Amino acid sequence: MLDPDIAALIGQPAEMPPLTPELIPMMRANMAMMAAAMPGTDIDHVEDFDADGVPARLYRPASDEPLPLLVFLHGGGWMFGDLDTHDAMTRHLTAASGCAVLGVGYRLAPEHKFPAGLDDAMTALDWARRSAARLGCDPARIALGGESAGGNLTAAVTLRLRDEGKPQPLFQLLIHPATDMSFALPSFAEVAAPGLSKTYLDACREYYLGDTPESDPLASPLHAASHAGLAPAIVLTASEDPLRDDGEYYAAALVRSGVETLACRLPGLPHGFQFLPITIAAVAAANDLIGGLVRRYFACR
């Protein structure tokens, strides 16, 4: 059941029209307008960087010591969002965790199809590892995380790093990730969310993947033959989210492969809850929980 304060804010979501290429610029502009009205948290140091060709933005709290660094990939159906639209979200995460956060402006579909966004995520993580010391961060404490499409990219990066014989991040933070591009797990029939319908997500898949099969493990991490050897995972799902089972099935797959995994379903929250105003108590509580988990995982590793 949706949190009452959230339900009062968003009302009854309307069924979205078919997602055509002509609608994408309008939807991007609408997201930018909504984001501009979202208040952020003051952070001591915020600076934009070119991470080997990928736009990145560092949020660093005041500290005399090198801070742990979370490289964070925003959501938006692989087609929406950038450093500015998710600025408030990233500021809140930085404040709640007390660590440095590097937002990544990866390339978007349909202009840049799979694996462009994944390539950018890999590039940004590699740049962060090489640049950590001059950013005032600890090179030994770098984690990777993301929400929704960013969670999908996070899971794909860990699979690709493993298969390429490269080091894993310290841990992976997956916030209501998409892990199965079939969009056919049971929660799709159990949770009604017209704004996140299967029709809409099927269009996202088409524009993002192009000719790539949906079963490709780097597109659908749940379909990987093995999940062994991946970074410890924090997997957070939202109870009122059609993608809920994507995260929970993936958490179970990680556990079966021997990956240390903390999985938690957050009650009363919809998909994309981090994009809602932090003034809503349930959103603030979820943000504090996420920040606290990130802080504790950094502290104990």
Side-chain angles (χ1 to χ4, degrees):
M1 191 171 180
L2 197 61
D3 175 84
D5 292 333
I6 295 176
L9 175 69
I10 66 177
Q12 183 61 38
E15 187 67 52
M16 291 186 64
L19 183 57
T20 62
E22 295 76 20
L23 276 179
I24 293 172
M26 183 190 314
M27 294 174 69
R28 287 175 176 169
N30 185 58
M31 174 181 261
M33 183 174 62
M34 292 173 59
M38 299 282 267
T41 303
D42 287 338
I43 302 298
D44 183 70
H45 182 82
V46 179
E47 184 176 357
D48 287 351
F49 290 92
D50 180 331
D52 290 341
V54 180
R57 183 171 295 167
L58 178 71
Y59 302 79
R60 191 182 187 282
S63 174
D64 294 328
E65 301 294 330
L67 290 171
L69 175 63
L70 174 67
V71 179
F72 193 74
L73 307 170
H74 67 77
W78 304 275
M79 292 187 293
F80 305 103
D82 55 34
L83 297 177
D84 291 331
T85 60
H86 287 70
D87 180 74
M89 176 190 299
T90 314
R91 286 173 178 271
H92 296 319
L93 178 57
T94 302
S97 66
C99 71
V101 178
L102 185 74
V104 178
Y106 57 87
R107 286 172 291 172
L108 302 175
E111 297 91 341
H112 305 283
K113 297 185 186 300
F114 176 91
L118 175 58
D119 289 343
D120 286 354
M122 293 281 290
T123 297
L125 177 61
D126 181 64
W127 179 87
R129 284 171 159 166
R130 290 186 285 106
S131 307
R134 71 180 178 90
L135 298 178
C137 298
D138 183 352
R141 292 188 294 166
I142 299 178
L144 181 65
E147 52 100 20
S148 191
N152 168 276
L153 292 172
T154 296
V157 166
T158 65
L159 287 167
R160 189 161 154 185
L161 288 171
R162 181 199 63 186
D163 294 346
E164 293 180 359
K166 297 176 180 177
Q168 290 286 303
L170 196 64
F171 60 88
Q172 54 179 316
L173 170 68
L174 307 176
I175 302 172
H176 53 53
T179 65
D180 181 355
M181 286 288 192
S182 71
F183 302 123
L185 295 177
S187 55
F188 277 93
E190 297 168 4
V191 180
L196 200 67
S197 67
K198 188 174 187 305
T199 301
Y200 170 79
L201 288 168
D202 285 345
C204 290
R205 176 187 63 219
E206 176 186 346
Y207 293 137
Y208 173 54
L209 292 185
D211 295 331
T212 301
E214 66 181 47
S215 59
D216 187 317
L218 296 183
S220 295
L222 184 61
H223 291 198
S226 170
H227 297 91
L230 302 181
I234 303 169
V235 184
L236 301 174
T237 59
S239 67
E240 309 310 306
D241 179 7
L243 282 167
R244 184 183 66 210
D245 285 349
D246 275 56
E248 294 178 4
Y249 278 48
Y250 195 66
L254 293 173
V255 170
R256 286 195 298 270
S257 292
V259 176
E260 177 189 337
T261 305
L262 182 154
C264 179
R265 180 189 295 184
L266 306 180
L269 295 178
H271 192 87
F273 63 85
Q274 287 177 289
F275 203 68
L276 296 173
I278 199 73
T279 51
I280 296 175
V283 175
N287 185 69
D288 288 345
L289 172 67
I290 295 168
L293 288 171
V294 168
R295 184 170 60 252
R296 290 179 65 181
Y297 264 61
F298 273 129
C300 68
R301 292 174 195 283

